[in-house]
Amino acid sequence: MKQMMISKSVWWNRILFLMMAVHLSWQAVPAKTRIMLISDPHVMGPGLLIKEGDAWDEATYYDRKLNDYSRAIYDEVIATALREKPDLFLISGDLTKDGEWVSHQYVVQKLQELKAAGIKALVVPGNHDMGTSNALIFNGEEAYGADTINTRQFAELYKDFGYGEDMDREPTTLTWCCEPVEGLVLIGIDTGHDSDPLNGVISKATFDWVRERAENATAAGKLAFVMMHHALFPHVTNVDKFSSTYAVKLGVPVDGASYAYYSYESVRSRLANAGVSVVFSGHVHASDVAKDSNNDMTRTIFDICTASCAAYPSPYRLLTLNDDGATMRIQTRYISELPGVDDFSALAETRLIEGLERLFYNYTHNQDVSSLFAELFKMYVVGNEPEDPRQAEYLAKYAEYLPRMKDDKQISGFLEAYNVTFEELTELVHSMLEDRSHYGDPERECREDDLNTTIPVRGDGWSAIVSAKWNEESDLKNGGWYTLQGVRVSKPSRKGLYIHNGRLSVVK
């Protein structure tokens, strides 16, 4: 390690020069590049619901989605895209209700309308898209199996939307890489499906392929974004205890027959280190924007999770890569009306609440608690929970119900089955309604606007250097190590420029 002793003024000029050099090395994305993003449309193809009846009622009893309106919602999304004319249209998985052939055909048919209008569309599969046990045809009292597709058929169907011969494809999965607009490299990752033992898992071979492309893009001064179905990391503290597939994992083969699984921290840190700054995800049916970073917090990464457009409040995102080449504007809008449907938004909200209440009652057998948690989760689904005037009311009601919940054997048994304490449940509720999480590390705690904001997209450190306090007592002059972005690290983890003892240091 070699240190260069320089004065403060020279040091500051050098920093500005380096920052300008990095900025000039960026390959600019065309000004005002516009992206339209949806997730989880769960399109139910024509002919799957022949006649309503007991079979349909049973299949949809706990469902919060608007399966019977899913095609109409998707039609409206496509019509909106044709009006907005974005440079890029993205779907982050769960294209279909349950992987039915006719549902995929319908999705592709509408995407062809975008292609004909000159709008580039790209998709990745979700956990529903290769068929599930609910891939059925409903006819009154009866339900029988519908034809579903496999990965080979998926690639053939979507050859114009991510899987054509002109795409850079990873050979073992439905993972791809392309540069849809100059200066932006987008990597679509296949994170598995319900009939796959690796559901919610990226294999090491696939991840190495992804990392290489991200590193190459970053080295060329380009933006590196990822789109995948499962979330990059939990957006709510302790929520992963209730859902093992909430966030993606890394799977490393052991003895050629089984896998060792590494949690989302491994994926998060390695993607950030490779230069990925933004991930588009879905799966959890909630609109939530969250920031995290690599292990030493020198590179940030945002997970933009978008709720299902097939459920209340039916959102879609409009994303604008700004002229500065370093930020992206996020706008969230909604499908609030459907042709021929009276007060569609109210209908969708009622369906969501009823489905959630039934689901929670199935676990708690307590109607008051079920209704409370249905409202809590509705607020989380919408996003920006602290702005809801009822937030304090629901937190107070939760605190009021908590002693009774602790005395309820049904609720206690439910939590014990998931190995969750009431303290952890309370932490989850507060994390959800206060729109904050530290992902297991209090130093990482952050709050981000979920719906309308502007975020940095160059993967800068957790905080800027201007936030550092320059005084004689500061550890800037007492042994502390800092990156050029102002992030304190225990020690340099790689070669480069650092600030140590108030001086610029070159670690070789």
Side-chain angles (χ1 to χ4, degrees), residues 101-127:
W101 182 267
V102 294
S103 300
H104 279 294
Q105 285 181 313
Y106 193 87
V107 172
V108 170
Q109 174 188 327
K110 301 300 290 187
L111 290 178
Q112 291 291 352
E113 295 182 16
L114 299 184
K115 180 184 176 184
I119 299 170
K120 178 74 172 177
L122 295 166
V123 307
V124 291
N127 60 298

Side-chain angles (χ1 to χ4, degrees), residues 245-360:
T245 63
Y246 182 108
V248 75
K249 300 179 182 68
L250 180 66
V252 179
V254 178
D255 300 328
S258 59
Y259 281 83
Y261 298 110
Y262 295 85
S263 67
Y264 64 86
E265 290 98 332
S266 295
V267 182
R268 172 200 69 197
S269 187
R270 295 179 193 196
L271 281 180
N273 284 335
V276 175
S277 58
V278 171
V279 173
F280 303 127
S281 66
H283 185 52
V284 298
H285 290 208
S287 289
D288 197 278
V289 175
K291 179 181 73 171
D292 208 332
S293 70
N294 58 352
N295 290 337
D296 63 9
M297 300 180 74
T298 56
R299 292 195 64 85
T300 56
I301 187 167
F302 284 84
D303 189 15
I304 301 174
C305 188
T306 302
S308 169
C309 62
Y312 180 82
S314 300
Y316 61 93
R317 307 271 202 185
L318 294 176
L319 314 170
T320 305
L321 291 166
N322 294 326
D323 292 340
D324 59 14
T327 58
M328 180 172 70
R329 182 184 182 192
I330 302 172
Q331 296 172 282
T332 304
R333 297 180 183 173
Y334 307 93
I335 303 298
S336 57
E337 297 180 355
L338 285 184
V341 180
D342 293 334
D343 205 348
F344 168 71
S345 185
L347 167 68
E349 184 175 9
T350 298
R351 286 275 194 94
L352 178 72
I353 288 293
E354 288 179 349
L356 287 169
E357 285 183 344
R358 290 167 180 165
L359 181 67
F360 288 124

Side-chain angles (χ1 to χ4, degrees), residues 158-225:
Y158 291 94
K159 61 185 178 183
D160 292 332
F161 310 107
Y163 298 92
E165 293 181 356
D166 59 330
M167 297 290 285
D168 185 10
R169 289 277 309 280
E170 193 273 327
T172 64
T173 66
L174 293 169
T175 298
W176 49 258
C177 177
C178 68
E179 190 172 345
V181 295
E182 184 181 359
L184 169 63
V185 172
L186 182 64
I187 305 170
I189 305 179
D190 175 4
T191 53
H193 44 88
D194 283 355
S195 58
D196 183 350
L198 295 183
N199 183 24
V201 177
I202 306 174
S203 72
K204 183 179 183 301
T206 299
F207 190 84
D208 288 346
W209 186 94
V210 167
R211 182 167 57 183
E212 180 183 4
R213 272 112 188 116
E215 289 174 345
N216 289 343
T218 304
K222 300 175 183 179
L223 291 173
F225 289 2

Side-chain angles (χ1 to χ4, degrees), residues 432-495:
M432 185 169 62
L433 260 66
E434 293 170 2
D435 196 21
R436 62 176 174 82
S437 179
H438 51 63
Y439 321 113
D441 182 354
E443 290 186 5
R444 296 174 180 272
E445 183 167 288
C446 70
R447 288 185 172 94
E448 296 291 337
D449 189 303
D450 298 323
L451 305 177
N452 299 286
T453 187
T454 297
I455 63 170
V457 294
R458 288 285 173 182
D460 294 333
W462 193 263
S463 59
I465 198 164
V466 293
S467 66
K469 293 183 179 179
W470 293 88
N471 54 61
E472 294 298 321
E473 292 71 35
S474 170
D475 61 2
L476 283 170
K477 290 196 170 187
N478 289 315
W481 287 92
Y482 282 80
T483 69
L484 295 185
Q485 290 79 30
V487 178
R488 192 175 193 272
V489 294
S490 57
K491 61 181 180 179
S493 60
R494 51 187 157 181
K495 299 176 182 178

